[in-house]
Amino acid sequence: MNYNEILKKGENLLKKNKIKNPYLDTELILSKVINRKREEILLNIDNKLKNTDITRFKSYILRRQQKEPMAYILGYKYFWKYKFVTNKYVLIPRPDTELLIEQTLKYLPNDKSKKILDIGTGSGCIVVSVLKERPKCLATAIDISIKALNVAKTNAKLHQLENKINFINIDIDKYKSSNYDLIISNPPYVNSIDLNRLDDDIKFHEPKLALSGGSDGLKEIKKVIIKSKRLLKINGKLILEIGYKQKNISIKILKENGFYINKISKDLSRKDRCIVSTKL
Ligand code: GLN
């Protein structure tokens, strides 16, 4: 079988399962299997595949047919300016979360050495992206999942930041070290009803631990806010990702806990997604 034939085959299989971008996904899978860039596939469209590659191709296509996200099949995802290793133990970095990086950088002067905490770091995409932009800063990244933390460590190494980020496998409830200048977090904030309505790709493959914010979706947001009050310096910033229907309630919880609201920003779909606040 040559590249052209196998691409048609893969595309048809994905189409049957109503996968959104059947051709693109097939091409990306073939490119992974033969370890060549996509452009090279088109230039060598009559090349024959080895049997071992055909077998691998089929197994990846099968995973995609079962709605497994491409980021898990390929093992990486681009976020901000960088490539991040991803597997089923971490939430896939989302373009909307780049908003947090954009906002965070506004509150971190380039020449200052600030102390940052990332709560629920997951793949580490947030903390790594921020530290790449602000090399004088130091960070701690915590996560309750050791498997997620291992992915975050891999990503820190990949971007030469292993000496600047301290990774700790701990529940936010138990974390005590304080005096941070800035806390960033994209906590799980999906409520139990919405959790059931998510696309199959997310619902059946991404970690529930990283998505579920309890029955009202606010359980972890509350924890992060209450805890940040203790962990931040006075005038320290808390930069939080929230669900788009959680703006008013999050503002209320922040105010009740002595935070001043600096700014609420909208994501790429014009939905409220990020709150910057200050501990007074
Ligand atoms: N925005 C994510 C989603 O699409 C949720 C991320 C989170 O819970 N922090 O489902």
Side-chain angles (χ1 to χ4, degrees):
M1 201 163 357
N2 66 26
Y3 294 176
N4 190 33
E5 289 160 340
I6 205 157
L7 282 172
K8 289 226 169 80
K9 201 174 161 108
E11 186 187 12
N12 283 332
L13 287 168
L14 296 189
K15 262 189 195 158
K16 260 192 218 154
N17 289 267
K18 305 207 164 49
I19 302 296
K20 267 186 217 137
N21 300 301
Y23 186 77
L24 175 66
D25 289 0
T26 306
E27 212 175 77
L28 286 166
I29 285 173
L30 180 59
S31 147
K32 178 182 169 79
V33 166
I34 59 176
N35 197 19
R36 289 177 129 188
K37 295 203 173 97
R38 277 169 59 209
E39 302 85 84
E40 292 178 59
I41 295 181
L42 299 180
L43 292 172
N44 300 284
I45 201 79
D46 297 322
N47 271 20
K48 289 234 171 348
L49 282 130
K50 288 188 275 180
N51 281 336
T52 50
D53 286 348
I54 296 176
T55 310
R56 279 181 66 216
F57 177 90
K58 282 185 182 159
S59 81
Y60 290 141
I61 289 286
L62 181 65
R63 285 168 65 182
R64 189 64 192 120
Q65 284 180 288
Q66 292 162 348
K67 304 275 171 80
E68 185 171 335
M70 285 302 285
Y72 294 151
I73 298 172
L74 300 174
Y76 67 82
K77 170 87 183 177
Y78 285 93
F79 175 85
W80 192 243
K81 302 175 185 171
Y82 308 101
K83 190 172 178 174
F84 290 91
V85 167
T86 46
N87 65 27
K88 64 180 178 182
Y89 302 114
V90 299
L91 198 74
I92 298 165
R94 285 150 161 76
D96 289 332
T97 302
E98 290 174 347
L99 185 59
L100 255 77
I101 312 296
E102 231 173 83
Q103 292 304 317
T104 302
L105 295 178
K106 291 191 182 162
Y107 295 90
L108 287 175
N110 219 334
D111 54 339
K112 296 256 164 64
S113 166
K114 298 283 184 188
K115 226 178 110 187
I116 300 166
L117 172 67
D118 178 10
I119 301 176
T121 195
S123 67
C125 67
I126 297 175
V127 72
V128 166
S129 300
V130 169
L131 260 74
K132 282 303 262 188
E133 303 290 336
R134 295 292 182 266
K136 290 199 171 152
C137 292
L138 288 176
T140 306
I142 68 171
D143 204 295
I144 193 169
S145 155
I146 181 73
K147 285 177 171 156
L149 208 66
N150 286 335
V151 177
K153 281 184 195 168
T154 303
N155 282 319
K157 258 202 200 115
L158 191 65
H159 299 293
Q160 296 85 39
L161 289 172
E162 66 267 40
N163 298 324
K164 290 195 179 158
I165 309 173
N166 184 20
F167 292 96
I168 308 176
N169 178 214
I170 193 170
D171 184 340
I172 180 61
D173 285 335
K174 304 206 173 92
Y175 190 64
K176 295 233 159 61
S177 170
S178 59
N179 260 318
Y180 287 97
D181 296 294
L182 187 143
I183 296 180
I184 342 166
S185 185
N186 175 14
Y189 55 67
V190 182
N191 69 46
S192 35
I193 294 171
D194 289 347
L195 202 62
N196 269 314
R197 293 191 187 138
L198 292 171
D199 287 347
D200 288 354
D201 298 43
I202 306 177
K203 190 161 74 180
F204 296 126
H205 297 279
E206 296 202 61
K208 290 276 181 315
L209 192 62
L211 289 165
S212 168
S215 57
D216 62 359
L218 293 164
K219 194 168 159 230
E220 305 302 321
I221 288 184
K222 271 185 199 152
K223 263 197 215 172
V224 169
I225 293 174
I226 291 166
K227 198 69 193 208
S228 295
K229 181 166 80 169
R230 291 168 183 241
L231 303 183
L232 278 171
K233 283 181 186 164
I234 290 184
N235 276 326
K237 295 276 178 292
L238 170 61
I239 300 181
L240 198 60
E241 179 168 324
I242 55 159
Y244 69 99
K245 290 177 277 184
Q246 294 169 332
K247 178 175 105 175
N248 292 337
I249 184 74
S250 304
I251 291 176
K252 184 165 175 273
I253 303 167
L254 281 163
K255 285 186 174 166
E256 280 168 4
N257 283 283
F259 283 86
Y260 167 80
I261 311 298
N262 295 82
K263 194 174 180 186
I264 292 135
S265 320
K266 293 186 192 299
D267 65 17
L268 302 164
S269 334
R270 310 295 304 152
K271 290 177 172 162
D272 296 312
R273 189 65 66 190
C274 172
I275 303 187
V276 180
S277 58
T278 306
K279 172 185 164 174
L280 296 176

